[in-house]
Amino acid sequence: MRASFAWLRDTYSESEGQPAPVYGAVTAVGIIVPLLVGLLTGHAGPSVLAALGAFYVALAAPGGPYGARARALFVAVAVVTVFTWLGGLVNGHPWLAVAVVPVVATLASMLPWMGATATLCTVLAVIRPASSPVIFDGFLEMAGGLFMSALLLAPWITHRLRPLRMSLAEAADAVASALDVLPDPGPDDEWIRRRNKAYEAVRQARVTYGLYRTGGRDDQERPRRLIETFRRTMDEGVALRATLGALRAEPPPEHWEQELRVAISSVAARLRLLAGAIEVRGERPLGGDGGVALERFGQATEEVRQDWLAEHSDLISTALLLRVRQTVVRMAGAVDRSRQIVERGLSFGFEVPHLLERPAGGWTRLRQDIITRSPGFRHAVRVGVAVAAAMALGTGLKLTYGHWLTITVLLSLRDSYGDTVKRVVKRVGGTAIGAIIAALALALAPGETTLVALIFVGAIFGFTFRSVNHAYWMTFGTPMVLLLVDFSNALYWSAAGWRIGLTFAGGLIALAAARALWPTGRLRLIPGELADLLRSHARLVRAVAARFGGDIDAPIRRRTEDAVAAETELEDTSNRLGREPTPPEDLLGRVREATAAARRVRDDLKTLVALAEEEVDAGPVGTILDRVADHLDARADALVSDAEPPAELALGELLEELDDHLSGLDRRRRDEMSGVGIDAVTTLRRLLVQAAGARHAVRSLVADAGRLGSADHRSPSGA
């Protein structure tokens, strides 16, 4: 009992996003204005349809640059109009609606640009009085949708760069947050979480920038260069974290660690100042350059290096120490370049949207999903069957408020059992609270004024907290939706009770569909996605090997993005599989080990890429990388063919050759120091520093690639 209570508490309190008060206020105005106009002019009925059109578009309102928003809103208004007409055409023919609405629900589940809005419009158009004019109703909802679109796009001219600025500021903040924990020794869990969040923020900033139309001028390229400096700062941070791991094999003096933390903190602080400057259009100072912290760190490392030179028989540790210092200086330099870009300004030409661009998730993808019986197709059919069952029950039993049964099933059924359970619990609880509040308010102060006030308040709070938690949306949004859909019918206690009961029943239907209908088919995707993970990382390793071979155009960035995409796809599949009633825990554990090893492989490669950008005497590094790539490809082939996996990755001789190469550089540097002094910066010293960093990264890469390829990732027999 206590565990169930704790689960309910966590479910209702979990945070899914940030509140959006401005969005809530704007959408509330967009919904309430048509109602007020209708009441003042004596046309309350038509005004409800316009308010519903505004509500539908508010539900589908997108984010990102205003050009992308305009395009998506244009599609949303078209969807609202067309499917309102479709629902009107089958109005008065209940069993025809039972056949039509599930088909719409199935297609809408597979085509993102349709979404739940298409089915919702169809259902609510079906339940209107049969005498209602179909075409006119569609135009009224179109007008409401266009009014809402105009409100949401009103800031375009004055705030056209705000989405880009916010995205850039979030990327800077995320990178700073990752740097906060970078120097901390111990478990990597928090570092990995923040690092992934930072890379995702940088990726999102790149996507947002790509949605703006540029003409190639210098000022239009500044946001792109700023994003690249953020990415470079994170890449250097990943390399620094790996080098620190090798350096801590011999614990450095405490004061050295303290100065390192101060130096990294100064870089993070400058990034946060930069984020603030981006948000306020560079109108506030960006702070100092952090030179004092870097200077103190340089002095501390030099003192430690001098002590180690006297105590150690080799120069590997001192070379790694110099590598750390160089990396911190490069990170600070990247932040300085970011500051210079921001100070020059980020504004550029007016953004023009392509309104007729093809919506994402087109018919080609739909056909492919049907042919392959993808998890998305299976879920869409499950939604269609569940909606058909709800429609048939409501029609056969002639339920007065039967549409709430259908709407609950439509909006509660998710593509995994665990997500469906959470959605049903939040929806039932929120609906009960919201319906009781609405009925109580109308009992205390009946009349149209109370109706309008409840809808307005529900819209403000509902859309403000919709992104925070679905339970909050249901609690505040339920009174708004109930009163808006049935604006002409008073909400009495009996009606509120019926709606709560039908919501509960719809939740049970959704749970039954998620539990009893055919499997999602995600289990069979695991071997293929694991093979894609191995192959994408093999291609990335080969690209890095090509860079070491002198190919400056090696597609490292593209290969890295492919590897990250493969890992993300596998993680998404395993996470959804983990939310099924009986997840294969052993298989999911092996998948988690594989994705963790893949991240470490990319971290090792980032260190090597940073070294390859300089002139480095790499020895057999290129050959080792090619062997690692061959091993990953062979493992991938064995995985999909169910053949015997190849032997474990064994590169002992090549690693010994790399050690001999590094030892030779060490001896030559020792001999050189007797003639030029220990502080002389020579070509040989630079080569030793680079080779020492490469040695650690290569050894770590071989170990991580072995873990990535050696585990038994295949699903249990008979699964």
Side-chain angles (χ1 to χ4, degrees):
M1 179 67 69
R2 183 176 299 176
S4 298
F5 177 77
W7 181 84
L8 283 172
R9 181 195 60 205
D10 294 341
T11 298
Y12 276 94
S13 63
E14 67 179 346
S15 177
E16 301 169 4
Q18 297 296 321
V22 175
Y23 175 57
V26 171
T27 52
V29 170
I31 292 170
I32 209 67
V33 166
L35 290 178
L36 292 176
V37 171
L39 291 176
L40 292 174
T41 59
H43 296 85
S47 71
V48 173
L49 294 176
L52 273 175
F55 168 71
Y56 294 144
V57 171
L59 283 178
Y66 285 98
R69 296 186 194 186
R71 189 167 57 240
L73 289 171
F74 175 84
V75 173
V77 171
V79 167
V80 168
T81 307
V82 170
F83 286 94
T84 295
W85 286 338
L86 176 62
L89 290 175
V90 298
N91 185 293
H93 307 280
W95 288 107
L96 178 60
V98 171
V100 170
V101 172
V103 175
V104 174
T106 302
L107 288 174
S109 296
M110 298 185 66
L111 298 172
W113 54 271
M114 288 174 60
T117 304
T119 313
L120 195 60
C121 292
T122 308
V123 169
L124 294 182
V126 165
I127 65 171
R128 289 180 191 138
S131 59
S132 182
V134 175
I135 301 298
F136 184 61
D137 288 352
F139 280 121
L140 284 174
E141 292 194 4
M142 177 195 295
L146 291 174
F147 176 62
M148 179 63 75
S149 300
L151 289 179
L152 293 173
L153 295 174
W156 190 345
I157 296 177
T158 57
H159 292 75
R160 62 188 177 85
L161 286 178
R162 179 171 173 77
L164 178 60
R165 288 184 178 278
M166 295 302 296
S167 184
L168 292 173
E170 288 171 5
D173 272 329
V175 173
S177 179
L179 296 186
D180 286 338
V181 299
L182 187 154
D184 296 342
D188 289 338
D189 294 347
E190 183 62 18
W191 157 249
I192 290 173
R193 186 185 71 80
R194 297 196 187 192
R195 184 206 65 172
N196 292 345
K197 184 177 179 181
Y199 274 118
E200 175 58 25
V202 171
R203 187 197 68 80
Q204 188 58 49
R206 188 179 294 117
V207 170
T208 302
Y209 170 70
L211 294 174
Y212 283 81
R213 270 54 179 179
T214 62
R217 299 199 314 267
D218 176 69
D219 59 339
Q220 298 177 358
E221 291 293 315
R222 288 174 197 159
R224 181 188 60 78
R225 292 201 297 270
L226 186 62
I227 294 169
E228 290 308 305
T229 60
F230 293 156
R231 180 197 60 81
R232 181 59 183 267
T233 301
M234 273 308 302
D235 286 350
E236 295 286 1
V238 168
L240 177 60
R241 178 83 177 185
T243 308
L244 287 173
L247 195 56
R248 285 183 175 125
E250 281 191 60
E254 183 177 348
H255 77 283
W256 181 86
E257 290 271 20
Q258 292 174 348
E259 295 299 341
L260 173 65
R261 287 189 175 87
V262 172
I264 298 298
S265 295
S266 72
V267 175
R270 289 155 63 192
L271 277 170
R272 288 192 172 91
L273 288 170
L274 191 66
I278 294 171
E279 286 191 40
V280 298
R281 302 172 182 265
E283 294 172 1
R284 80 184 198 192
L286 300 184
D289 60 2
V292 175
L294 291 175
E295 184 177 347
R296 290 183 56 181
F297 174 64
Q299 292 174 354
T301 55
E302 188 59 29
E303 291 172 5
V304 175
R305 191 174 74 89
Q306 296 288 348
D307 293 341
W308 284 2
L309 283 171
E311 296 174 1
H312 291 67
S313 59
D314 60 59
L315 302 176
I316 304 303
S317 296
T318 59
L320 290 175
L321 189 60
L322 285 173
R323 189 72 199 169
V324 167
R325 189 165 73 191
Q326 291 172 358
T327 304
V328 172
V329 170
R330 282 200 299 271
M331 290 171 63
V335 175
D336 285 339
R337 289 192 294 275
S338 301
R339 173 181 174 175
Q340 293 168 5
I341 292 171
V342 173
E343 287 178 335
R344 295 176 63 189
L346 296 176
S347 60
F348 52 91
F350 192 80
E351 176 198 4
V352 180
H354 293 306
L355 294 179
L356 298 180
E357 185 172 308
R358 177 181 297 178
W363 298 109
T364 301
R365 179 177 176 181
L366 174 63
R367 186 168 56 252
Q368 185 65 25
D369 285 343
I370 294 173
I371 293 173
T372 60
R373 293 187 302 162
S374 69
F377 170 71
R378 290 167 179 251
H379 171 65
V381 175
R382 183 187 297 110
V383 170
V385 171
V387 166
M391 290 282 295
L393 280 174
T395 301
L397 298 177
K398 298 182 179 180
L399 299 175
T400 304
Y401 303 104
H403 54 281
W404 291 111
L405 187 69
T406 302
I407 291 172
T408 299
V409 172
L410 172 70
L411 300 180
S412 297
L413 186 55
R414 305 287 93 185
D415 59 356
S416 71
Y417 181 74
D419 288 342
T420 302
V421 171
K422 282 190 174 184
R423 182 56 67 95
V424 167
V425 169
K426 292 179 180 180
R427 189 167 191 87
V428 171
T431 297
I433 295 172
I436 291 172
I437 291 174
L440 180 62
L442 285 172
L444 295 175
E448 293 179 338
T449 302
T450 304
L451 273 174
V452 172
L454 284 173
I455 292 173
F456 183 66
V457 173
I460 287 181
F461 286 100
F463 282 102
T464 295
F465 295 104
R466 180 187 174 205
S467 57
V468 176
N469 189 301
H470 186 70
Y472 302 162
W473 162 244
M474 291 310 303
T475 300
F476 295 115
T478 292
M480 173 194 65
V481 177
L482 290 176
L483 300 174
L484 185 60
V485 171
D486 297 317
F487 188 78
S488 301
N489 302 319
L491 181 67
Y492 298 108
W493 288 110
S494 59
W498 267 105
R499 288 160 183 171
I500 294 172
L502 289 171
T503 299
F504 182 76
L508 292 180
I509 294 174
L511 290 174
R515 185 69 176 88
L517 295 184
W518 47 89
T520 62
R522 295 190 184 279
L523 187 61
R524 63 186 174 87
L525 298 179
I526 294 289
E529 290 183 356
L530 279 168
D532 290 341
L533 181 74
L534 293 170
R535 290 196 180 102
S536 63
H537 282 75
R539 289 192 292 270
L540 174 58
V541 172
R542 286 199 174 89
V544 176
R547 176 68 63 85
F548 269 93
D551 182 5
I552 61 174
D553 296 323
I556 294 176
R557 168 72 63 76
R558 187 169 70 251
R559 299 305 185 201
T560 300
E561 292 173 351
D562 292 343
V564 171
E567 181 191 321
T568 301
E569 186 175 7
L570 177 60
E571 279 190 328
D572 180 68
T573 298
S574 62
N575 289 338
R576 293 177 186 275
L577 190 58
R579 293 193 288 268
E580 292 304 314
T582 55
E585 295 293 348
D586 185 56
L587 174 64
L588 296 179
R590 295 196 298 272
V591 169
R592 285 191 290 270
E593 292 174 0
T595 55
R599 282 192 293 271
R600 290 193 296 269
V601 165
R602 294 199 304 277
D603 288 352
D604 299 329
L605 292 172
K606 283 185 174 71
T607 304
L608 291 173
V609 169
L611 292 167
E613 292 178 356
E614 309 168 21
E615 183 181 352
V616 55
D617 186 0
V621 170
T623 304
I624 293 174
L625 292 176
D626 285 333
R627 291 278 296 276
V628 168
D630 292 342
H631 175 76
L632 294 177
D633 273 335
R635 286 283 179 172
D637 292 340
L639 189 63
V640 295
S641 64
D642 205 27
E644 188 68 24
E648 298 293 330
L649 183 61
L651 299 174
E653 293 183 2
L654 285 172
L655 292 176
E656 289 179 5
E657 183 181 341
L658 179 59
D659 288 342
D660 292 341
H661 175 71
L662 185 59
S663 297
L665 290 175
D666 186 305
R667 290 192 299 271
R668 289 162 57 192
R669 174 58 181 164
R670 282 281 183 184
D671 294 339
E672 182 184 56
M673 285 166 52
S674 61
V676 300
I678 62 174
D679 296 326
V681 181
T682 65
T683 299
L684 193 56
R685 175 177 143 171
R686 287 194 296 271
L687 291 176
L688 178 62
V689 171
Q690 294 157 358
R695 174 180 180 267
H696 168 71
V698 166
R699 284 189 169 275
S700 179
L701 172 66
V702 171
D704 292 331
R707 282 188 284 269
L708 174 60
S710 63
D712 180 12
H713 304 314
R714 283 167 286 191
S715 59
S717 60

